[in-house]
Amino acid sequence: MVTGSWLNSGVRRGTVVPVRHPVATLWHVPVESVYPRLEPLLPHVSKPVQYVGGEPNATVKDWDETTVRWCLMYPDAYEVGLPNQGVMILYEILNEQPGVLAERTYAVWPDMEELMRRHGVPQFTVDAHRPVAAFDVLGVSFATELGYTNLLTALDLAGVPLRSRERTDEHPVVLAGGHAAFNPEPVADFVDAVVLGDGERAVLEITELVRRFKAEGRPGGRERLLRRLAEHGVYVPGFHEVTYRPDGHIERVRPTREGVPHRVFKRTTTDLDEWPYPKQPLVPVAESVHERMSVEIFRGCTRGCRFCQAGMITRPVRERSKRGVEDMVRRGLEATGFEEVGLLSLSSADHSEIGEITKGLADRYEGTNTGLSLPSTRVDAFNVDLANELARNGRRSGLTFAPEGGSERIRRVINKTVSERDLIRTVSTAYASGWRQVKLYFMCGLPTETDEDVLRIATMAKEVVRAGRSASGRRDIRCTVSIGGFVPKPHTPFQWAAQADPDTVDARMRALREEIGSDRELGRRIGVRYHDGKPSLIEGLLSRGDRRVGRVIERVWREGGRFDGWNEYFSYERWVRAAAEVLPPLGVDMDWFTTRERTRDEVLPWDHLDSGLDREWLWNDWQDALQAREQEDCRWTPCFDCGVCPTTGTDIEMGPSGRPLLPITPVRDGSPVPNTAFDTPSGDR
Amino acid sequence: MYPGLRPVGRPRRSTTEETLSQYQPATVTGWKVRLRYTKRDRLRFASHRDLTRVFERALRRAGVPLAYSRGYSPHPRISWAGTAPTGVASEAEYAELRLEREVPVETLRNELRAALPEGLDVAEAVPAGAGSLEERLLASRWWLELDGVAPGETSEALCRLLSRDSVEVERVTRKGRRVLDVRAAVVSADSVDPTEYGVHLDAVRDRHSVDAPHTDDCPDRARQYGIIVMVVRHTTPVVRPDDVLNALRVVADLPVPGVARATRLAQGRLDEGGAIADPLAQDRAAAGSRQVGSTLG
C-alpha cells in the first residue's frame, strides 16, 4: 500500500459529506457505499431504477484490490448516458485491467439533486454507489456542450471544488474527453486535463502514469502528476496561459511550464479489429434513448460535409473488418439479448463491405426476432437496397435520409453532394419497396443561406410525396421534415462562419411551414419538426467560446441552469442574461462569439489543439464553400491534403479485408443465442 | 415500445389458448410454462415495463426458444400476472411463457436464473396445467416495514384499522383520482416482532455471494422497525401497500415514513382459514401425473 494522501488511498470518509450513520459492516467496506443513505430517497424521485445500477454486464470490483480507480461520467441523464459508446468502451477496457477499477456516474435529475443536498448524499457511482470524490480520476465524456452545467452540478454534489486551481491532492483529476472536448476552453477552468480524440489507448497510458505516480509515493503532488500527463500529450489547460488584446481578441496561448508542449495532438486508434469493444455491452434496466446494441463498423468519415465536426475530427476512415463486425454482433447478442443491433458509424452505408455484412447478418439472424438497423444513411438508392435487406423480417416503418440543405446550391456549399433527382429516385425506390414513410433531415441557418434555400425544402418534400404516390400506387404516403438550427463548430471549415441569429432562423422556419401548409392536400401528408433557433445560439456560444465563456457557464449554473439539452429545463433567457452580465466587462459579448464572422488571421481559442487538419486546408475549404465548390472523398479519389494522415501518422484503413468469408450458420430458434442446454435428445431442430 | 404487451390488470386473452394448453401439445401452438419469480434488493425499483425488458433480454441471452406473436411487429409471448408496483419487492410474482417447444423445466429455470440480473430470480418453473393462472391470484400476503415506528405503535394503529368497517383513501391513478376502501380489502393484518423475523428479513433482502461482494443493501439493524404482515384481497383498483399505509395515517396519528418498504410474500386464492393457496399447486400436480403417465406409457 502506498502512503500519503494524494489520490485517495484507502478510506477518506467524511471529507466530502459527513457520513451520518456508519453501516454495519458485513464485510470489509473500505470506501463506503452511499446506498443505505440513497435508498430512502429513491421512492420519492422519478424513475428510481436509473440510480440503482446492477445492469447486466456492469462490473463491481473490490476497492482495495485496485490501485487506479476511474469514475466515468456522461454528463446527462442516465437514459441518455448509458447507451453512450465512448463511456461503455472505456469502462470495459479499464475494468479488464488487473488492479484498475472503473465505475459510472450520470447527471442526477433536479428532484434527486434536491434530495441529495437535503440529506447530504454526495454524487455517487451507480455501480457500487461509491462517492465520486473518492476516485483517482473523474473522466467526463462531452458529446455535446450542453452537458457543461451538469458537470458543475456533479462536481458540486461530489464535494469537489468547481475550479481546477482550487483542488488539492485530496481530489480526483477531472479529465474531459469526447467531441466537444476538441474545444474545451469554455470549461478550461473546471477541468484539470483533456484528452483529444480516441480514448482507448489514452486511458491505459493515463492509468499507467497514475499507477506509477502513486507507487512512487506521489512525489510533487497534484501539480507533478498533471505535469507528467501534459508531458505525455494530455492537454492541461492550467499549464497554458491565454492573453487577450485590448479589442477582446486572443493575443496568444502559450505553455507556462517547461516541458509542456505548445501544441496538443489528438489520439487515433488504429486497427479497430484489435479493439472489439464493447464486448459485453451494458444492458440498462431502465428505459434508455437507444434500446439497441451498437456495433461500430467504422470510425471516421471523409465525405467532407463542411458542417460536420465529427467527420472532420475523426479522420481518417478506419473500418472494422467484415469478420470483426460479425464477431462483435454475435458476442454482443450473446452477452446482452438485445432485440436490435445498430451498425454504427458516421455514414454506415459507406463501409466498403456493407453489402456482404448486412446480407450475412440478415441471413444469420432471420427468424430470431432480431432487428438490424443502419443509422446515418445517405441519400442513395443503394441504401434502400440495404434497408430492404435489413427489413426482410417484417418491420418496414420509416426510412431516414439527410439531404441537409434544401437547394442544390446550398448543398454544394456544405459539400453534401446529392441532386434533387437522386433524392426523388431514391425515395421512389423506397416507397416502391413498401416503405410508407420517409424522414428527411435538414439544417437551417447555414452559411450563405437565403430564404429561398429554405423554402426549397417545401418543394422537395411535396415532390417526395408525389413521387411516393406514383411509385407505390397508394395515397397514404408520409414524409417528415425535421430541421435543426446550424451551429458552426471548431475544427471545421465553418469555424470562421457567422452563426445565423435566432430571429432569422425562426423566420425562415415559419415561412417554410407556411409554404408547406399552403398546399392543403399535400401539406397534410408532410410533417414538419423543428426547434426554435435560440438553443442553437447558446450551443454556438459554448462551441466556439474561449475561457471567458466559462464565467457565463458558472453564472448560469449558479442561477439554476441544469440539463441544457432538455427543452423543459433549458432557459434561453438565463443564458442571455448571464452573458450580458459577465461578458461586456471583458470586452466581448454574445454576438462576438456567435454571429460574428472570424478573419483568417484571428487566433481561435482551439488553434493550439491539433485535430490533424491543416489550418490552411480548412481555410481553403471555407473559401470553396463560399464559392459553392465541392470537395471529393479521399477514399476513392486522390488525397487532397487535409493533413490528418501525416500529422497523426495514420492512413485510411478499409476493405476488402481479404479474410475468407466464413459460412454463417443461421440461428433460427426464436432467440439469437444458440444454447445447447435446450437441445433435447428427441429435439425437433 | 412493446405494443404487444398487455397492460397489467386487464382481462386476458381468448380462451382458445387455454383450452389448447390443457393438452400441452408440442406443436406449432407451443408449450407453456409458469414461473414464480422474485424481485428483490435494488431491482424492486424497477417498473413493470423495466422488468419485462429485463426478462425478455434474459430469455434471449439464455437462448430460450421463446414463441413470438406473428404479424407486423412480433413480440414475445409472455403473460404477466398483476405485478408488484415500482419500489415494492416480491417473493411471489408470476408469469407465463409460451415456448416454441417443450424443454426440461429445470434446465429452463437454471439457464434463466443464470441470465437474470441480481435481484431477479426464478423460484419455480412448472409446465402450465389447465385453467387460468391469473384467476388464481386473488390475494397477497405482504410484509410491510415501517421505518422508525415502534412495534407497539404499529399494533395499536392496526387495531384501529381493523375495528373500522371502512377506511377510504385516495390515490391518483392514470385514470385520475380514485377512492379506495382499504379496510374492505384487508383480510388480516398483524404486527410482528422484528427479532422473531430476523432470519426472514435476511432471506428477503440479501442475496449476496462470497465471490461477488456487494457494498450495497446492508440492512441497518440498529433502527427500529414496525413490521406488519397482512393479507390483502386483490380489488379493482388494487389496494397497494402504500394505500394501507395511508389508511393507517387516517385512523391513527402514526409517524410513518412517506413510503413503506414492502415485500409481497405470497399470492394466490384465499382458503377458508384466510391463508393463501399456492397458485401453481394444480399445475404441479398435473405435470406430476403426466410424468407418471408417460413413464408408465
Side-chain angles (χ1 to χ4, degrees):
Chain A
M1 225 21 222
V2 280
T3 52
S5 59
W6 205 80
L7 286 176
N8 325 314
S9 68
V11 188
R12 280 199 321 110
R13 67 182 66 179
T15 52
V16 179
V17 177
V19 175
R20 300 270 161 89
H21 37 88
V23 175
T25 29
L26 301 176
W27 44 80
H28 181 53
V29 185
V31 165
E32 281 152 358
S33 163
V34 304
Y35 193 74
R37 287 187 286 146
L38 179 69
E39 193 189 41
L41 312 183
L42 293 176
H44 305 281
V45 300
S46 63
K47 299 188 202 160
V49 73
Q50 67 185 303
Y51 303 115
V52 304
E55 307 94 336
N57 302 328
T59 305
V60 174
K61 283 190 172 181
D62 191 322
W63 188 264
D64 274 350
E65 283 173 16
T66 56
T67 52
V68 181
R69 299 157 189 136
W70 286 73
C71 174
L72 300 175
M73 176 176 197
Y74 190 87
D76 202 335
Y78 177 89
E79 64 197 75
V80 180
L82 185 123
N84 179 265
Q85 290 295 291
V87 171
M88 232 189 261
I89 289 169
L90 301 184
Y91 177 74
E92 193 170 336
I93 287 176
L94 289 167
N95 275 319
E96 273 184 0
Q97 297 289 312
V100 181
L101 168 158
E103 300 195 12
R104 296 159 294 135
T105 190
Y106 304 94
V108 299
W109 288 108
D111 62 343
M112 178 58 113
E113 183 191 341
E114 194 201 322
L115 286 177
M116 286 166 68
R117 289 187 187 283
R118 199 190 308 156
H119 296 272
V121 177
Q123 180 81 23
F124 55 86
T125 60
V126 296
D127 299 284
H129 295 96
R130 286 163 174 149
V132 166
F135 288 77
D136 297 324
V137 185
L138 170 60
V140 189
S141 176
F142 288 110
T144 132
E145 299 81 3
L146 298 176
Y148 291 161
T149 50
N150 286 349
L151 167 71
L152 299 190
T153 309
L155 290 173
D156 190 52
L157 282 174
V160 175
L162 295 190
R163 289 169 184 282
S164 169
R165 62 164 186 273
E166 287 161 17
R167 288 175 203 142
T168 67
D169 291 0
E170 293 287 307
H171 301 112
V173 168
V174 180
L175 178 74
H179 288 186
F182 273 83
N183 176 22
E185 294 304 282
V187 287
D189 288 346
F190 312 126
V191 301
D192 299 312
V194 181
V195 168
L196 302 182
D198 299 331
E200 285 95 339
R201 288 177 200 277
V203 292
L204 295 178
E205 288 168 26
I206 292 168
T207 297
E208 193 44 41
L209 289 172
V210 173
R211 191 206 315 269
R212 216 178 304 155
F213 175 73
K214 287 175 81 172
E216 289 166 8
R218 302 175 170 82
R222 188 179 189 83
E223 156 92 14
R224 187 68 201 113
L225 176 64
L226 291 174
R227 282 283 285 275
R228 288 193 193 178
L229 292 175
E231 285 157 16
H232 284 80
V234 175
Y235 176 47
V236 178
F239 295 161
H240 286 251
E241 181 193 56
V242 182
T243 50
Y244 303 93
R245 296 197 322 224
D247 64 359
H249 287 77
I250 293 173
E251 184 181 46
R252 114 177 120 171
V253 179
R254 59 170 176 193
T256 55
R257 305 283 195 286
E258 207 181 304
V260 172
H262 179 78
R263 291 183 79 73
V264 178
F265 295 90
K266 79 161 180 184
R267 310 296 184 108
T268 308
T269 300
T270 52
D271 196 354
L272 256 50
D273 281 342
E274 299 256 305
W275 299 92
Y277 296 91
K279 297 172 184 167
Q280 311 255 322
L282 291 159
V283 187
V285 175
E287 190 167 4
S288 70
V289 293
H290 294 296
E291 289 290 322
R292 68 173 93 94
M293 182 182 99
S294 294
V295 171
E296 186 185 29
I297 61 173
F298 66 90
R299 199 173 289 182
C301 179
T302 37
R303 282 278 168 188
C305 303
R306 291 175 175 130
F307 55 84
C308 179
Q309 188 192 38
M312 293 289 164
I313 62 177
T314 60
R315 297 172 176 207
V317 168
R318 289 144 289 154
E319 288 186 355
R320 198 182 297 286
S321 73
K322 185 169 57 196
R323 177 75 191 282
V325 172
E326 286 162 3
D327 282 350
M328 276 188 77
V329 172
R330 181 174 51 76
R331 291 206 185 117
L333 285 173
E334 283 170 7
T336 63
F338 272 117
E339 303 81 4
E340 188 180 331
V341 180
L343 301 179
L344 202 73
S345 76
L346 292 172
S347 179
S348 291
D350 284 346
H351 191 291
S352 64
E353 295 170 309
I354 192 66
E356 288 165 71
I357 290 174
T358 48
K359 169 130 186 17
L361 293 176
D363 284 348
R364 179 172 165 88
Y365 294 106
E366 190 168 354
T368 66
N369 300 289
T370 307
L372 296 167
S373 66
L374 275 189
S376 315
T377 45
R378 292 179 321 102
V379 182
D380 190 329
F382 175 58
N383 285 306
V384 180
D385 295 342
L386 289 177
N388 289 340
E389 190 70 39
L390 296 175
R392 191 154 88 182
N393 299 333
R395 270 183 201 276
R396 201 161 281 227
S397 45
L399 271 187
T400 303
F401 297 107
E404 310 287 6
S407 70
E408 304 243 9
R409 187 196 68 82
I410 199 79
R411 286 197 295 274
R412 282 201 304 276
V413 169
I414 62 178
N415 202 38
K416 187 93 186 185
T417 322
V418 54
S419 69
E420 193 157 325
R421 225 182 46 197
D422 284 344
L423 176 81
I424 297 304
R425 201 170 45 217
T426 306
V427 296
S428 296
T429 317
Y431 286 121
S433 3
W435 300 88
R436 290 282 159 269
Q437 172 157 344
V438 165
K439 200 193 272 183
L440 301 175
Y441 279 160
F442 293 96
M443 276 186 292
C444 184
L446 290 162
T448 77
E449 180 184 276
T450 63
D451 293 356
E452 285 66 43
D453 291 318
V454 176
L455 289 176
R456 189 80 197 148
I457 296 172
T459 320
M460 195 187 245
K462 289 175 197 171
E463 201 47 52
V464 161
V465 174
R466 273 192 219 104
R469 284 180 170 176
S470 83
S472 67
R474 305 172 59 130
R475 295 189 66 77
D476 64 336
I477 289 302
R478 277 196 66 77
C479 169
T480 305
V481 172
S482 186
I483 312 166
F486 166 66
V487 180
K489 296 277 178 170
H491 305 280
T492 70
F494 290 165
Q495 65 182 355
W496 288 281
Q499 182 171 1
D501 66 276
D503 291 341
T504 306
V505 171
D506 288 347
R508 282 179 187 156
M509 294 216 199
R510 260 198 312 277
L512 171 65
R513 234 184 139 91
E514 281 161 24
E515 177 69 19
I516 288 174
S518 67
D519 186 329
R520 290 207 154 194
E521 211 281 308
L522 287 176
R524 279 192 308 123
R525 314 302 311 170
I526 302 168
V528 184
R529 280 194 209 153
Y530 70 89
H531 308 288
D532 68 276
K534 289 171 176 172
S536 301
L537 192 77
I538 305 307
E539 198 187 329
L541 170 73
L542 298 174
S543 290
R544 292 192 295 170
D546 57 34
R547 295 187 179 187
R548 294 170 290 192
V549 171
R551 304 191 199 181
V552 182
I553 297 169
E554 188 176 338
R555 171 68 67 94
V556 165
W557 176 77
R558 291 203 183 278
E559 289 175 5
R562 307 282 188 279
F563 286 92
D564 288 300
W566 298 73
N567 279 334
E568 52 271 58
Y569 290 100
F570 175 79
S571 164
Y572 179 69
E573 288 68 32
R574 187 154 48 207
W575 279 99
V576 170
R577 201 170 54 233
E581 285 165 10
V582 170
L583 295 178
L586 303 169
V588 287
D589 60 15
M590 177 81 92
D591 291 347
W592 195 86
F593 284 107
T594 55
T595 55
R596 180 180 62 92
E597 184 171 333
R598 276 68 162 168
T599 60
R600 181 177 193 161
D601 300 328
E602 180 170 340
V603 177
L604 300 173
W606 52 89
D607 273 347
H608 57 299
L609 304 177
D610 200 321
S611 60
L613 295 160
D614 180 49
R615 199 179 196 270
E616 203 53 32
W617 177 80
L618 278 175
W619 177 264
N620 291 335
D621 204 41
W622 167 227
Q623 298 309 305
D624 284 347
L626 294 173
Q627 302 300 317
R629 274 197 301 262
E630 293 162 273
Q631 172 66 262
E632 300 263 29
D633 188 320
C634 63
R635 271 171 294 183
W636 29 84
T637 60
C639 170
F640 45 75
D641 292 326
C642 74
V644 171
C645 293
T647 308
T648 57
T650 54
D651 208 346
I652 303 173
E653 295 175 355
M654 59 188 282
S657 48
R659 305 187 198 189
L661 178 60
L662 292 189
I664 303 183
T665 327
V667 185
R668 286 197 192 101
D669 199 5
S671 162
V673 180
N675 185 346
T676 51
F678 292 117
D679 292 341
T680 46
S682 58
D684 51 1
R685 288 172 78 180
Chain B
M1 182 102 338
Y2 294 91
L5 282 181
R6 203 172 39 80
V8 185
R10 288 240 198 98
R12 290 206 310 159
R13 67 189 110 49
S14 70
T15 51
T16 337
E17 284 183 28
E18 286 305 328
T19 326
L20 287 173
S21 74
Q22 292 175 20
Y23 305 102
Q24 287 288 309
T27 62
V28 279
T29 50
W31 179 78
K32 286 199 293 186
V33 59
R34 289 171 176 170
L35 307 179
R36 176 168 70 87
Y37 65 94
T38 65
K39 177 189 170 193
R40 294 172 177 142
D41 304 337
R42 292 179 283 175
L43 276 197
R44 73 189 169 97
F45 291 107
S47 70
H48 172 59
R49 278 165 58 87
D50 297 333
L51 285 190
T52 59
R53 263 195 310 274
V54 169
F55 245 95
E56 285 170 18
R57 287 171 187 165
L59 284 160
R60 290 166 66 83
R61 277 198 297 279
V64 175
L66 196 62
Y68 278 72
S69 68
R70 310 208 179 277
Y72 180 70
S73 168
H75 57 272
R77 304 284 298 269
I78 307 174
S79 302
W80 304 93
T83 50
T86 308
V88 171
S90 178
E91 292 295 298
E93 297 297 289
Y94 291 88
E96 187 174 274
L97 313 179
R98 183 179 283 273
L99 308 192
E100 286 181 347
R101 54 190 160 85
E102 186 169 346
V103 300
V105 277
E106 270 315 294
T107 309
L108 173 69
R109 179 172 169 245
N110 291 336
E111 297 293 316
L112 191 49
R113 289 185 80 184
L116 283 168
E118 192 174 314
L120 287 181
D121 194 12
V122 179
E124 289 179 89
V126 181
S132 146
L133 176 61
E134 187 145 307
E135 281 167 17
R136 293 177 210 157
L137 304 178
L138 299 178
S140 291
R141 186 161 71 246
W142 293 100
W143 170 280
L144 209 57
E145 288 166 37
L146 309 185
D147 192 359
V149 182
E153 286 175 289
T154 310
S155 59
E156 169 68 25
L158 279 180
C159 280
R160 289 199 197 183
L161 174 70
L162 295 173
S163 68
R164 304 275 278 270
D165 291 332
S166 153
V167 179
E168 293 192 331
V169 300
E170 270 196 353
R171 175 147 53 90
V172 181
T173 69
R174 259 172 294 182
K175 289 175 188 161
R177 219 167 261 283
R178 302 286 293 264
V179 175
L180 315 172
D181 184 353
V182 171
R183 178 61 192 91
V186 173
V187 178
S188 65
D190 296 297
S191 166
V192 301
D193 182 352
T195 51
E196 223 173 90
Y197 276 82
V199 177
H200 186 81
L201 253 182
D202 286 352
V204 171
R205 288 227 200 123
D206 302 335
R207 203 167 63 112
H208 305 292
S209 62
V210 182
D211 50 318
H214 251 280
T215 48
D216 293 342
D217 303 321
C218 315
D220 187 347
R221 281 147 212 274
R223 289 186 72 96
Q224 205 172 32
Y225 286 101
I227 292 178
I228 297 171
V229 172
M230 61 185 186
V231 173
V232 181
R233 211 175 273 120
H234 294 174
T235 48
T236 312
V238 71
V239 169
R240 297 172 170 183
D242 283 342
D243 300 319
V244 177
L245 206 65
N246 282 333
L248 291 176
R249 273 197 206 96
V250 171
V251 297
D253 189 22
L254 207 56
V256 290
V259 184
R261 190 171 167 141
T263 304
R264 171 145 53 199
L265 300 176
Q267 271 195 94
R269 279 206 177 100
L270 276 175
D271 68 19
E272 281 160 20
I276 288 183
D278 179 356
L280 295 182
Q282 268 172 265
D283 305 279
R284 212 177 286 112
S289 65
R290 264 201 311 279
Q291 193 126 37
V292 172
S294 65
T295 313
L296 291 176

